Amino acid sequence: MGDAENLWTRDPRTVLRAGPDLDLSALDRHGRPGWAGGKDEAKAFTARRGRLLSELQERLFAHGRTGGDRAVLLVVQGLDTAGKGGIVRHVIGMVDPQGVALRAFGVPTEEERQHHFLWRVRRALPRPGLIGVFDRSHYEDVLVPRVQGLVEEDVLTRRFDEINHFEEEIAASGTTVVKVALMVSYEEQGLRLMERLDRPDKHWKFDPGDVDTRRSWDAYQSAYADVLARTSTGVAPWYVVPADRKWYARLAVTELLTRTLVDLDLHWPGVSWDVAEQRRRLAATMSEESLREAASGVEDRAAEYRESEAAYAAAVADASSTESRRGG
Ligand code: ATP
């Protein structure tokens, strides 16, 4: 599937995973952990992986359409300008939108406020066969109120427990949860916000409140550190993605998602009807001329299918083997 070189030297699920010893304040937000190339290679490789991601998504969709229970939920968190929208546009944008359930979470509405904080989130979970994408999520409920000093420690602790339990439930129901925290640096955030002010076509993206949030930078950083420490679990780990280089963040999330889907080991579903019998039934409704035309393409279609399956198998092998091939 394409020529762009795979320059991953480590599995991003290993290098980016938030472990117990993560020190968020020491994270190099300009870094590119596990990737041995630069921007051009990354862009080319992201496009190549996109073709595999797209096929994986179609397989997942077919699985869901035929009674399968698997789904994937990508949770994207990050402060303003971290690049959440870019992930949706450039990573999720590589797959068929019909297979995606995208939900952006803003300040809770009047109705949402009258319910438990997980109420609106449960309603947005992906059905089997879909890739659910949360642009912000239930994690806002342990970030914003905390930084604003609106919740006591015991409420916060209860919410963390509820979140962990909720995600265990989601995983048990067949949905693989992938949580991505995009980490932009203070300097880079300042530059990206200023750029929005410099360009009238970007003004709509700017909210004067973004500057207030920025002034609470340290509080948000420690709130994030706490979230990562308390909710990175075996069934729903956090991946901490340096986001100062947009190309790296997109490349990394593409790879995390692709490898997650590869691990689902998805196959084209079998059917309960007989192909030969349906061929006969259909043929009985067609003209001689159409039947001749269809027959002339049989070999080509068989070859196309074989080639596509072989390319898929090779791409899957490539997305499975980095760690072992390069010795980790
Ligand atoms: P972006 O997510 O890129 O900022 P936006 O500004 O268009 O996009 P909004 O609809 O304004 O999105 O919603 C985002 C805002 O909602 C953020 O400031 C976020 O912190 C806030 N928010 C989301 N969920 C909650 C929550 N549960 N409690 C408080 N604030 C929340």
Side-chain angles (χ1 to χ4, degrees):
M1 288 197 178
D3 300 313
E5 204 183 343
N6 180 358
L7 295 171
W8 281 108
T9 56
R10 300 281 312 274
D11 187 334
R13 290 175 302 178
T14 311
V15 274
L16 301 178
R17 187 173 177 138
D21 50 358
L22 172 73
D23 177 1
L24 198 55
S25 63
L27 179 77
D28 175 9
R29 292 158 194 237
H30 197 66
R32 46 177 174 136
W35 177 252
K39 180 176 178 174
D40 291 346
E41 293 95 334
K43 284 192 157 182
F45 187 69
T46 301
R48 174 182 145 194
R49 269 294 190 259
R51 290 189 284 278
L52 172 59
L53 186 60
S54 178
E55 174 156 353
L56 287 161
Q57 179 270 322
E58 191 179 344
R59 284 172 182 249
L60 178 64
F61 191 79
H63 161 91
R65 271 296 169 91
T66 49
D69 67 351
R70 310 306 308 264
V72 170
L73 174 63
L74 177 70
V75 173
V76 187
Q77 279 290 150
L79 291 176
D80 294 316
T81 77
K84 300 185 293 298
I87 294 295
V88 173
R89 188 199 290 212
H90 295 279
V91 179
I92 302 304
M94 295 192 291
V95 310
D96 185 344
Q98 296 176 94
V100 175
L102 170 67
R103 173 72 200 267
F105 291 97
V107 177
T109 62
E110 192 59 51
E111 186 191 18
E112 288 167 349
R113 263 204 302 274
Q114 283 164 21
H115 293 272
H116 186 271
F117 77 98
L118 292 175
W119 179 75
R120 65 176 184 165
V121 182
R122 281 186 195 281
R123 292 158 55 99
L125 289 174
R127 282 182 287 111
L130 296 189
I131 298 179
V133 181
F134 285 177
D135 174 351
R136 302 188 189 266
S137 64
H138 42 299
Y139 285 100
E140 292 294 309
D141 292 277
V142 283
L143 290 163
V144 182
R146 179 202 176 138
V147 169
Q148 293 177 349
L150 300 175
V151 283
E152 301 296 331
E153 186 54 42
D154 58 328
V155 174
L156 206 56
T157 299
R158 196 174 67 230
R159 285 190 185 178
F160 279 129
D161 291 345
E162 286 172 330
I163 286 175
N164 286 335
H165 183 71
F166 172 61
E167 292 178 353
E168 259 173 46
E169 240 178 64
I170 300 175
S173 75
T175 298
T176 304
V177 186
V178 180
K179 300 185 296 193
V180 167
L182 300 175
M183 289 294 158
V184 74
S185 67
Y186 188 68
E187 295 70 31
E188 182 66 22
Q189 188 194 51
L191 291 170
R192 289 183 187 175
L193 285 172
M194 193 59 88
E195 194 182 315
R196 290 180 181 179
L197 290 174
D198 289 343
R199 291 186 50 162
D201 61 336
K202 303 284 182 199
H203 284 176
W204 66 274
K205 285 192 180 189
F206 186 87
D207 177 345
D210 295 347
V211 180
D212 301 310
T213 305
R214 176 170 165 79
R215 286 158 82 177
S216 302
W217 180 268
D218 290 342
Y220 270 105
Q221 294 305 312
S222 63
Y224 260 102
D226 220 22
V227 162
L228 298 172
R230 292 165 82 165
T231 61
S232 195
T233 60
V235 291
W238 272 108
Y239 299 107
V240 181
V241 178
D244 277 9
R245 298 203 251 202
K246 290 178 182 171
W247 59 261
Y248 175 78
R250 293 168 189 173
L251 169 82
V253 178
T254 300
E255 195 69 11
L256 291 168
L257 202 52
T258 302
R259 290 184 187 224
T260 298
L261 281 156
V262 161
D263 279 0
L264 295 185
D265 194 22
L266 299 158
H267 300 277
W268 295 120
V271 287
S272 56
W273 37 267
D274 182 59
V275 178
E277 186 195 341
Q278 297 306 317
R279 203 190 295 280
R280 275 194 304 277
R281 290 184 63 224
L282 176 62
T285 70
M286 292 167 68
S287 69
E288 288 292 320
E289 193 186 346
S290 293
L291 284 172
R292 269 195 302 279
E293 187 183 332
S296 71
V298 166
E299 287 303 316
D300 285 353
R301 282 190 290 275
E304 269 170 34
Y305 170 72
R306 280 193 305 274
E307 275 165 31
S308 137
E309 288 299 292
Y312 175 74
V316 161
D318 181 69
S320 321
S321 63
T322 298
E323 206 94 347
S324 50
R325 196 175 66 229
R326 292 171 191 257

